[in-house]
């Protein structure tokens, strides 16, 4: 017919571009010849959720700092050899030394032995693992208590990017476990690195409790590791 547009064989006509126009409380979108009506509210659901999520993260960080401040005021000063019962001292020292034996070469307490060190370590590890990890870092002499708190705050900022914070916490925890293995002359190889990473990925609360028990026992029996940490923190 007159005015008709004839197409040569092999020539493809590009699909019409998507168009959208406001339509009351909705958006009318035309895509590939199909009409869609999308509510405007659905466009802002994700942004609203993320804004609330960011606010929640910063509120938790503020609460964590306040909790760490009061804990720093109330926590007792670490004391070497605080365990006075000779029987318990001998048992703990023997347990630490057995962990360093060629047959064992692992932590003195099992990963699932969260209550071995008492309810205090267990509750602190499960209720506020970041704070308990910071206290362990202080007992180990890795850094000061507030430096460890700052590290945990940076780690928790990673949660603004979704699961990134979880992997950051696992990475920092795995590095700490490797340092603990080095302090107590435990086995260190590629297998233990994988084990430590999996421990923090699959059961981070138990891993925090296990490390806390290791260093608390070392301070209780005046182990060489505790003496070195005491020198780093209080005498240097």
């Amino acid at each position: 017919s007159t005015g008709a547009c004839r197409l040569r064989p092999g020539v493809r006509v590009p699909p019409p571009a998507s168009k959208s126009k406001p339509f009351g409380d909705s958006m009318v979108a035309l895509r590939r010849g199909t009409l869609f009506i999308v509510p405007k509210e659905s466009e802002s659901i994700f942004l609203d959720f993320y804004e609330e999520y960011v606010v929640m993260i910063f509120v938790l960080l503020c609460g964590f700092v306040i909790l760490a401040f009061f804990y720093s005021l109330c926590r007792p000063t670490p004391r070497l050899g605080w365990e006075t019962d000779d029987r318990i001292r001998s048992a703990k020292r023997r347990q630490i030394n057995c962990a360093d034996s060629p047959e064992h070469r692992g932590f003195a307490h099992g990963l699932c032995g969260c209550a071995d060190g008492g309810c205090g370590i267990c509750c602190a590890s499960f209720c506020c693992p970041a704070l308990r990890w910071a206290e362990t870092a202080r007992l180990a002499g890795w850094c000061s208590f507030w430096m460890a708190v700052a590290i945990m705050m940076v780690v928790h900022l990673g949660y603004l990017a979704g699961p990134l914070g979880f992997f950051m916490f696992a990475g920092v925890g795995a590095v700490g476990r490797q340092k603990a293995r080095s302090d107590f002359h435990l086995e260190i190889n590629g297998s233990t690195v994988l084990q430590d990473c999996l421990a923090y990925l699959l059961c981070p609360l138990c891993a925090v409790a296990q490390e806390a028990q290791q260093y608390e026992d070392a301070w209780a029996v005046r182990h060489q590791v505790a003496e070195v940490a005491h020198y780093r923190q209080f005498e240097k």
Side-chain angles (χ1 to χ4, degrees), residues 68-90:
F69 173 74
F70 283 106
Y71 177 81
S72 65
L73 295 178
C74 301
R75 75 175 186 269
T77 302
R79 186 165 57 89
L80 286 171
W82 58 263
E83 183 58 67
T84 57
D85 191 320
D86 292 337
R87 183 177 58 84
I88 298 178
R89 283 174 62 92
S90 300

Side-chain angles (χ1 to χ4, degrees), residues 95 104 106-117 177 206-207 209-211 213-214:
Q95 192 171 21
H104 191 276
F107 288 94
H109 299 270
L111 186 62
C112 296
C114 303
D116 291 350
R177 284 179 74 84
C206 294
Q210 186 185 35
E211 297 160 19
Q213 291 167 354
Q214 186 84 11

Side-chain angles (χ1 to χ4, degrees), residues 22-43:
F23 182 73
D25 293 334
S26 304
M27 293 291 292
V28 178
L30 181 63
R31 298 175 184 174
R32 296 183 180 275
T34 305
L35 189 66
F36 295 91
I37 299 180
V38 183
K40 283 185 178 180
E41 291 80 0
S42 64
E43 297 181 355

Side-chain angles (χ1 to χ4, degrees), residues 166-205:
F166 179 74
F167 290 105
M168 289 175 63
F169 182 65
V172 171
V175 171
R177 284 179 74 84
Q178 287 292 300
K179 291 179 68 67
R181 291 180 183 274
S182 176
D183 289 344
F184 289 93
H185 305 289
L186 306 181
E187 184 178 9
I188 299 178
N189 52 41
S191 176
T192 60
V193 172
L194 179 60
Q195 292 174 18
D196 294 341
C197 291
L198 290 177
Y200 265 90
L201 286 173
L202 301 179
C203 196
L205 306 183

